[in-house]
């Protein structure tokens, strides 16, 4: 089949886009949800569709982000989402055509990275994406084991937020927290508003202010009631969002959640694996992480620009064979230069696996042991691990 791809425009095309996407995922949008939430959200992003003989068969969205890199640096990243192909048209190249279109656009605009969340682990590696962050899909905590090992130290204060869509507060917290976390992304006000679009009246919001009165923490939660024999309260607290720009705010919000009356269990989703809550708790074993999985997938649209954009923990020199291209990476004083070379390669790696290491969350030595790269010179992977290390586990709070 001959596929054409193009950017969509106008309400009718966006409606068709939403329909194709819904069919690909096996559901239907209610008209009210479509009109109030979905179509306004699609108007904020770039919607691309693949056509076969004039019929829309596949869809994808390109959303622009700025992503935090190791070393506290930033780079533009093209976020890909809303990917779906009609079930009857699968495996005929629609996804490939859509991604080719979007990657070409990123290249043209000088965007060195692309990011996405993958519904399956086997699809995106062939396009150069690698799983670059790991997350706890869910964690649970029994509040009876919620005592901290050390007393809470907090010169700030907590405040309940009445506004059902507190965009300015969340923006302030994100802008202060994201430089600290490799893999974290910025958000437009419309994106923040979307995070609250689905919230119902059962959602509560709490924010933390530092001693100077500036917002540095934010959480949303819902209480699911559970009264055993209508006498013993053991409500379940579902925490949807927890953002913090300081350990004081993080600890204060956790203390608040753990101390809510009548709550027996807390469940929280999408957490970094190095969440300090484990070490705040005296009985840290009761913070039970369930379902560890990949988070953000990343592609180096321009590997040389991408490798020069991030910071490096240690000085070092590395020659990579990247799918036949030899690259010399020389890091000094936190930054690196990268250029084609004729030197003998020390590590042979494909684009997907190099992308997995990019944010510092996946070790070269692990990939070597998992037979995902070739260490051609002894010690090269260990050296690469030290160079690519990240000060914190990479994580992205936003599932787009
Ligand atoms: C996943 C999906 C988008 C793939 O679209 P598609 O048009 O069938 O993909 P293509 O035909 O362009 O395939 C491109 C390549 O990916 C491979 N591929 C596609 N789907 C795959 C799958 N589910 N598992 C493994 N490989 C897959 C193809 O074999 C092909 O490989 P090749 O070019 O090396 O031969 C489509 O099946 C779909 O809409 N699924 C349901 C919704 C979904 O999961 N969306 C993804 C959101 S991240």
């Amino acid at each position: 089949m001959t596929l054409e791809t193009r950017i969509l425009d106008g309400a009718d095309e966006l409606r068709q886009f939403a329909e194709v996407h819904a069919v690909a995922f096996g559901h239907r949008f209610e008209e009210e949800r479509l009109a109030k939430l979905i179509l306004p959200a699609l108007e904020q992003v770039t919607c691309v569709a693949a056509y076969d003989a004039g019929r829309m068969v596949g869809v994808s969205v390109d959303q622009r982000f700025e992503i935090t890199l190791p070393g506290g640096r930033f780079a533009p990243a093209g976020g890909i989402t809303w990917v779906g192909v009609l079930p009857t048209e699968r495996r005929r190249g629609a996804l490939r055509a859509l991604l080719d279109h979007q990657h070409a656009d990123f290249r043209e605009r000088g965007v060195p990275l692309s990011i996405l969340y993958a519904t399956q682990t086997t699809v995106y590696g062939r396009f150069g994406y690698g799983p670059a962050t790991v997350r706890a899909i869910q964690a649970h905590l029994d509040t009876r084991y919620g005592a901290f090992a050390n007393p809470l130290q907090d010169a700030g204060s907590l405040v309940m937020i009445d506004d059902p869509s507190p965009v300015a507060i969340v923006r302030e917290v994100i802008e202060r927290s994201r430089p600290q976390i490799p893999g974290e992304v910025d958000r437009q006000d419309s994106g923040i508003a979307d995070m609250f679009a689905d919230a119902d009246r059962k959602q509560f919001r709490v924010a933390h202010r530092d001693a100077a009165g500036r917002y540095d923490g934010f959480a949303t939660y819902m209480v699911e009631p559970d009264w055993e024999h209508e006498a013993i309260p053991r409500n379940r607290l579902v925490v949807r969002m927890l953002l913090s720009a300081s350990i004081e705010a993080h600890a204060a919000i956790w203390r608040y959640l753990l101390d809510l009356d009548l709550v027996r269990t807390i469940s929280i989703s999408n957490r970094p694996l190095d969440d300090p809550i484990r070490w705040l708790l005296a009985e840290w074993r009761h913070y039970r992480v369930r379902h560890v999985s990949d988070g953000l997938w990343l592609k180096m649209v321009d590997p040389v620009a991408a490798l020069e954009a991030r910071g490096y923990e240690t000085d070092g020199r590395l020659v990579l064979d990247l799918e036949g291209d030899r690259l010399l990476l020389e890091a000094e004083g936190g930054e690196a230069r990268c250029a084609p070379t004729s030197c003998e390669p020390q590590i042979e790696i494909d684009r997907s696996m190099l992308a997995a290491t990019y944010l510092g969350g996946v070790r070269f030595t692990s990939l070597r042991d998992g037979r995902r790269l070739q260490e051609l010179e002894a010690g090269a992977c260990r050296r690469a691990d030290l160079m690519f290390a990240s000060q914190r586990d990479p994580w992205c709070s936003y599932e787009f």
Side-chain angles (χ1 to χ4, degrees), residues 24-25 83-86 89-97 116-120 122-124 126-127:
F25 277 83
V83 174
V85 173
L86 289 177
E89 311 301 322
R90 281 189 188 155
R91 311 298 179 267
R92 297 179 184 189
L95 172 66
R96 184 171 285 281
L116 54 79
Y117 283 86
T119 51
Q120 300 167 73
T122 47
V123 178
Y124 291 98
R126 77 193 74 236
F127 299 106

Side-chain angles (χ1 to χ4, degrees), residues 327-392:
L327 294 178
L328 170 63
L329 182 70
E330 288 179 295
E332 196 183 339
E335 49 190 52
R337 291 194 58 78
C338 182
T341 182
S342 54
C343 297
E344 276 305 300
Q346 297 155 329
I347 294 175
E348 190 183 324
I349 190 167
D350 67 29
R351 284 177 175 237
S352 163
M353 289 298 109
L354 188 60
T357 68
Y358 182 73
L359 295 175
V362 175
R363 291 202 181 117
F364 286 80
T365 42
S366 307
L367 296 178
R368 176 198 63 199
D369 298 345
R371 305 284 185 268
R372 294 291 185 137
L373 61 77
Q374 290 275 343
E375 185 174 44
L376 305 172
E377 184 187 294
C381 286
R382 176 75 186 126
R383 196 163 66 252
D385 284 345
L386 295 173
M387 287 167 69
F388 278 65
S390 162
Q391 60 279 42
R392 260 172 92 157

